[in-house]
Amino acid sequence: MQVSVKNKQKKCTQEEVLSILNHINEAVILHRGYEVFYCNNPLAKMLGFSDSTELSNDRLFKQDFSKYIHTDDKGIIAYYAENRWKGVPDTPKEYNIRLLDKSGEIVPVRCKTTIIDWLGEPTILVSMTDQ
């Protein structure tokens, strides 16, 4: 990623980008399939964890975060993700879903989703705000 500061270009390191993502108000996930390799503090708090480290220590979360998706929304999310990977036009980039926090309570969220190149591989970036 490149950023411009006073007409100067600087390439950001992975750590710098992740630090920025951890300090914004929106919840963010970077994943390939359902395998998560980054989540930020706002997502952790949304799901009832103290911070992203505690959430990341939940082994099942990193392997398959679908356990935090409401059962009735899993099918549509899988459909959107599959179509996004295939490049199907008109796949929604914004939609509403329900997450489940660690105690099982419903958390309604608005998602914005896109595919980015992350470290040379296509990766799904999801940002979420609670409703």
Side-chain angles (χ1 to χ4, degrees), residues 9-38:
Q9 295 260 332
K10 178 189 185 268
K11 213 168 194 157
C12 293
T13 66
Q14 176 184 353
E15 291 78 21
E16 290 170 324
V17 172
L18 295 179
S19 177
I20 291 167
L21 292 176
N22 214 37
H23 288 89
I24 62 174
N25 289 328
E26 288 188 356
V28 174
I29 293 178
L30 294 173
H31 71 92
R32 294 184 186 109
Y34 281 109
E35 184 181 348
V36 173
F37 58 92
Y38 174 77

Side-chain angles (χ1 to χ4, degrees), residues 103-129:
S103 66
E105 295 296 314
I106 294 174
V107 181
V109 297
R110 177 84 179 153
C111 296
K112 292 182 184 176
T113 308
T114 191
I115 293 181
I116 63 170
D117 179 77
W118 183 258
L119 303 176
E121 294 187 48
T123 302
I124 294 182
L125 165 69
V126 182
S127 64
M128 293 175 263
T129 52

Side-chain angles (χ1 to χ4, degrees), residues 53-70:
T53 302
E54 182 187 3
L55 178 57
S56 293
N57 287 336
D58 177 355
R59 202 167 31 97
L60 289 176
F61 174 78
K62 289 195 97 162
Q63 293 173 354
D64 182 2
F65 71 82
S66 69
K67 78 174 199 173
Y68 292 103
I69 299 171
H70 191 281

